[in-house]
Amino acid sequence: MASQKGMPSSALRVLEEALGVGSTAAGDTAEAVAAEGAYYLEQVTITEASEDDYEYEEIPDDNYSIPEGEEDLAKAIQMVQEQATDTQILEQKTVLSSKHAVPETIEDFLCNFLIKMGMTRTLDCFQSEWYELIQKGVTELRGGGHVPDVYTQNMLLENENKILKKELKHYKQAADKAREDLLKTQKERDFHRMYHKRTVQEKDKLINDLKGLKLHYASYEPTIRVLYEKHHALLKQKMLTSLERDRAVGQISGLQETLKRMEIGHSFHAPEIRVVPNCEKENAPEGPTQKGLREAGEQSKCKTKMKVNTKDSVFPSDVQPNPNLCLCKENICPAKFDYKLNNIFRLHELPVSCIITHPRKDILISCGEDRVWKVVGLPKGNVLLTGLGHTDWLSDCCFHPSGNKLATSSGDTTVKLWDLSKGNCILTFEGHTHAVWSCTWHSCGDFVASSSLDTTSKIWDVNSERCRCTLYGHTDSVNSIEFFPGSNILLTGSADKSLSAWDARTGKCEQSLYGHMHSINDATFSPGGHMIASCDACGVTKLWDFRKLLPIVSIDVGPSPGNEVNFDSSGQVLAQASGNGVIHLLDLKSGQIHKLMGHESEAHTVVFSHDGETLFSGDSDGTIRTWS
């Protein structure tokens, strides 16, 4: 912007008074601008050049290298030192002397101020009027056309002051928040310190109590050892006494039978003398009244004879040979685990509750919750015989040792005996107050034992057709019962989580085994009789040493319940039917578990064939699966 000489000083004086500066410095600027001519402010849009058309210059390589043939150690060291010195100089922050700042002119200051405040219309009026005066030569700047540095510095300081106030407010908030966090952390520290002290005190107390208990337990160990030895000695004496008692009872029963025979022999001739007149009366004609009286008398005589002749069966005094030992000796071949699903027989409309195989024939019997038991021929699965008679679901069945009779237990609280040659019911035992879960034959064939939901077990005499003994002791449902092969010992498994061994002759509990944490669903003896297997409602299977009455091992294949366990004829493999439809096979030698997958729903029962080549399992959908 230029100004000419002879410009009136009134406008300049007003501007100087408004800004508070003299016009001495403005004269130099006016003269410099007058030499260049008049200029106007215009809005210009600057576009960025495209980088694709830009040509880059090659920068020469400044790395100095020593030419070949002129290598010198001193020169090389000097060059390295010079490069290190140059690097240090570049790394240092050198402060360059600032150039002389050109002060801002008054009109530029006013224009910048109006632009900053957004007063565009005022800016247009000011520029048009100001430049118009300059061109007319009316305005004259007298050396005072620059804005003092004090104003610009004041503006900068005010802006910086505002920024500092904002930062101060932010730091105060941060400090308050940090103070609150510190107080909270201190409280948490005090709480954790107090909790740690309390924990240490409790730990010390527990350590002292544990030491006292160890000393107390150590003082009881000798007494327990002595009592244990006395207990074993008493058990041996009890066994010897029971053997002597059985021998004496056998001798007494033999003497009683001999006396009865002798009495019958002495009184045998008396009725023969009275036969002749009876024959003569029979040949004589008789009326209908006399005939009815005679038939009633004969029926009453037959009933009295039956009552006299139905004597209680006698438990065998001597231990009988175990029939399963022969099978164990025959099946010395290695155990089989690679079973595959072979066939599916649909036999029942409701779930299958029990499967048993005939001791000598290739048939099996299945019981279902549809109140029916069926005799099935193998291997085709054709139904040979169907048994009807129970009024509620069937729970278990068992073959007579001869294989000609069958015992079944049901939810109708009864136990029925069946003749397999005819398929009809020959005897019904009633006495339980709730559903009967299981039944088993004695090896002599004269007794049947049953277990019930009413927490009791009963021993039934087949010959006298009555209950010989009721076993009390369990506090919950008795879910399984089985006779020890060839003996008078009964094994029961209950929902009270215990196993019990009973003497069938006295009805007393000889020993109880504890270890299960849930209801026991099934328990069985191994073919050799020296081991017991049991499974509970949480899928845990336990093996027990029956001779020592101690647990051997526990296998958890849960959480699905274990419904039934059975050994193969060799006693090397244990099968478990699980609630999730899986058949678990346990190798008793190696401890490995094999799984058979093929059931679509819950597996209720599982049993091996006598040769161990086939496995049968019952499903809740009413089918039986064969694995071979």
Side-chain angles (χ1 to χ4, degrees):
M1 291 180 293
S3 62
Q4 297 177 357
K5 293 182 181 180
M7 182 184 297
S9 62
S10 59
L12 184 60
R13 189 178 298 109
V14 173
L15 190 59
E16 288 176 356
E17 290 176 358
L19 297 176
V21 296
S23 59
T24 56
D28 299 335
T29 306
E31 293 176 357
V33 173
E36 297 179 359
Y39 295 92
Y40 298 93
L41 292 177
E42 293 181 1
Q43 185 174 358
V44 180
T45 303
I46 301 174
T47 58
E48 295 182 358
S50 176
E51 294 183 359
D52 297 336
D53 300 334
Y54 186 79
E55 296 182 358
Y56 295 93
E57 296 181 358
E58 294 185 0
I59 300 174
D61 190 4
D62 295 335
N63 295 330
Y64 298 98
S65 60
I66 301 173
E68 295 182 0
E70 297 182 0
E71 294 87 354
D72 191 359
L73 180 59
K75 289 182 180 180
I77 294 173
Q78 184 179 358
M79 187 177 294
V80 171
Q81 289 177 354
E82 290 177 355
Q83 291 180 357
T85 305
D86 295 339
T87 304
Q88 291 178 358
I89 292 171
L90 292 174
E91 289 177 355
Q92 291 177 357
K93 294 182 180 180
T94 58
V95 180
L96 299 177
S97 59
S98 60
K99 295 181 179 180
H100 178 68
V102 178
E104 191 175 12
T105 58
I106 295 173
E107 58 270 22
D108 292 340
F109 175 78
L110 291 174
C111 293
N112 292 332
F113 174 76
L114 294 174
I115 292 171
K116 182 178 180 182
M117 298 302 294
M119 301 168 67
T120 56
R121 290 180 295 173
T122 306
L123 176 64
D124 294 338
C125 294
F126 170 74
Q127 287 182 345
S128 60
E129 188 173 357
W130 177 257
Y131 296 127
E132 193 175 325
L133 291 174
I134 291 175
Q135 288 203 355
K136 290 180 180 180
V138 179
T139 304
E140 182 180 359
L141 298 178
R142 296 174 298 174
H146 298 292
V147 179
D149 295 338
V150 177
Y151 293 99
T152 57
Q153 290 179 1
N154 286 338
M155 293 181 65
L156 294 175
L157 290 174
E158 286 179 1
N159 294 331
E160 189 175 357
N161 191 15
K162 290 179 181 179
I163 296 172
L164 290 175
K165 284 182 179 179
K166 290 182 180 179
E167 291 180 354
L168 179 62
K169 185 178 180 181
H170 177 71
Y171 290 148
K172 283 183 178 180
Q173 293 177 355
D176 295 337
K177 186 177 180 181
R179 188 181 298 106
E180 293 176 358
D181 294 340
L182 178 62
L183 293 174
K184 184 179 179 181
T185 306
Q186 288 177 350
K187 291 180 180 179
E188 291 180 356
R189 179 201 62 189
D190 297 337
F191 173 77
H192 288 297
R193 185 177 296 170
M194 182 175 62
Y195 181 75
H196 175 69
K197 290 181 180 178
R198 188 184 304 164
T199 306
V200 170
Q201 292 176 358
E202 292 178 356
K203 176 185 174 183
D204 296 337
K205 184 180 179 182
L206 288 174
I207 290 173
N208 294 329
D209 294 342
L210 185 61
K211 289 181 180 178
L213 289 174
K214 284 183 178 180
L215 294 174
H216 190 66
Y217 177 73
S219 64
Y220 274 107
E221 278 188 352
T223 307
I224 294 173
R225 193 180 299 109
V226 172
L227 291 174
Y228 186 74
E229 294 175 356
K230 288 183 179 180
H231 174 69
H232 275 278
L234 290 174
L235 284 177
K236 290 180 181 179
Q237 292 179 3
K238 181 180 177 182
M239 292 295 293
L240 294 174
T241 306
S242 62
L243 291 175
E244 292 177 359
R245 182 192 62 190
D246 294 340
R247 193 179 295 111
V249 169
Q251 293 176 357
I252 292 171
S253 61
L255 291 173
Q256 288 177 352
E257 290 179 359
T258 304
L259 289 174
K260 289 180 182 179
R261 290 174 184 173
M262 292 174 65
E263 291 176 358
I264 293 171
H266 286 296
S267 61
F268 182 73
H269 299 283
E272 289 183 357
I273 299 172
R274 298 176 183 177
V275 170
V276 176
N278 289 336
C279 294
E280 292 177 357
K281 290 181 180 179
E282 288 177 0
N283 294 329
E286 60 181 1
T289 306
Q290 294 177 352
K291 185 177 179 181
L293 292 173
R294 182 176 59 80
E295 290 177 354
E298 289 178 356
Q299 290 179 0
S300 63
K301 287 180 182 179
C302 291
K303 289 182 179 180
T304 55
K305 286 182 180 179
M306 286 294 294
K307 290 181 180 179
V308 172
N309 293 331
T310 54
K311 300 178 182 179
D312 288 338
S313 303
V314 179
F315 285 97
S317 57
D318 297 331
V319 178
Q320 300 176 355
N322 185 358
N324 296 326
L325 291 177
C326 299
L327 295 174
C328 294
K329 292 179 180 179
E330 291 176 1
N331 296 331
I332 308 178
C333 57
K336 181 179 179 180
F337 298 99
D338 55 344
Y339 291 97
K340 294 182 179 179
L341 184 60
N342 186 20
N343 206 344
I344 299 177
F345 304 144
R346 184 167 294 279
L347 302 175
H348 297 273
E349 297 178 356
L350 294 177
V352 180
S353 56
C354 177
I355 301 175
I356 57 173
T357 56
H358 195 277
R360 285 174 293 276
K361 298 179 181 179
D362 290 334
I363 61 174
L364 62 83
I365 291 184
S366 67
C367 297
E369 295 185 8
D370 53 0
R371 309 176 186 178
V372 178
W373 58 266
K374 295 183 179 181
V375 180
V376 182
L378 298 176
K380 295 182 180 180
N382 52 324
V383 178
L384 305 178
L385 184 64
T386 300
L388 296 170
H390 282 288
T391 60
D392 209 337
W393 43 268
L394 298 181
S395 58
D396 195 14
C397 60
C398 184
F399 273 114
H400 187 275
S402 63
N404 298 327
K405 298 178 182 178
L406 180 72
T408 58
S409 58
S410 170
D412 59 7
T413 72
T414 64
V415 176
K416 290 182 179 291
L417 304 184
W418 308 78
D419 185 358
L420 292 180
S421 61
K422 300 179 181 179
N424 57 347
C425 178
I426 58 177
L427 189 58
T428 300
F429 294 121
E430 298 179 352
H432 285 290
T433 58
H434 289 85
V436 183
W437 286 119
S438 181
C439 61
T440 180
W441 281 95
H442 192 282
S443 56
C444 67
D446 295 331
F447 301 95
V448 175
S450 61
S451 62
S452 171
L453 181 63
D454 59 9
T455 72
T456 65
S457 300
K458 292 182 180 292
I459 300 174
W460 309 91
D461 193 330
V462 178
N463 295 322
S464 63
E465 303 179 4
R466 71 183 186 92
C467 177
R468 287 287 298 273
C469 184
T470 302
L471 310 180
Y472 298 95
H474 286 292
T475 60
D476 207 338
S477 171
V478 186
N479 297 330
S480 69
I481 190 168
E482 185 174 340
F483 270 108
F484 183 81
S487 73
N488 300 317
I489 298 176
L490 267 173
L491 175 68
T492 58
S494 171
D496 61 6
K497 310 170 189 177
S498 67
L499 297 170
S500 295
W502 308 77
D503 190 342
R505 297 165 296 186
T506 61
K508 294 182 179 180
C509 179
E510 300 295 336
Q511 188 70 34
S512 294
L513 304 176
Y514 301 95
H516 280 281
M517 302 301 293
H518 302 276
S519 171
I520 297 175
N521 290 339
D522 190 33
T524 183
F525 288 103
S526 65
H530 64 280
M531 191 184 301
I532 298 174
S534 59
C535 62
D536 64 19
C538 209
V540 176
T541 300
K542 286 184 176 291
L543 297 177
W544 311 79
D545 190 338
F546 185 61
R547 294 170 294 188
K548 298 180 180 179
L549 298 176
L550 295 174
I552 300 175
V553 69
S554 178
I555 305 101
D556 188 357
V557 292
S560 299
N563 295 323
E564 187 174 282
V565 286
N566 263 314
F567 289 92
D568 69 338
S569 56
S570 65
Q572 300 176 6
V573 184
L574 177 67
Q576 183 213 50
S578 180
N580 58 0
V582 179
I583 306 297
H584 296 92
L585 301 179
L586 174 63
D587 187 355
L588 299 183
K589 288 187 176 180
S590 65
Q592 294 182 354
I593 299 176
H594 305 267
K595 295 183 180 181
L596 301 181
M597 312 289 289
H599 282 274
E600 297 179 356
S601 55
E602 186 175 0
H604 283 179
T605 178
V606 63
V607 66
F608 288 94
S609 62
H610 293 293
D611 57 2
E613 294 296 324
T614 309
L615 183 72
F616 305 97
S617 59
D619 198 291
S620 61
D621 60 359
T623 61
I624 293 178
R625 283 164 167 75
T626 62
W627 311 76
S628 59

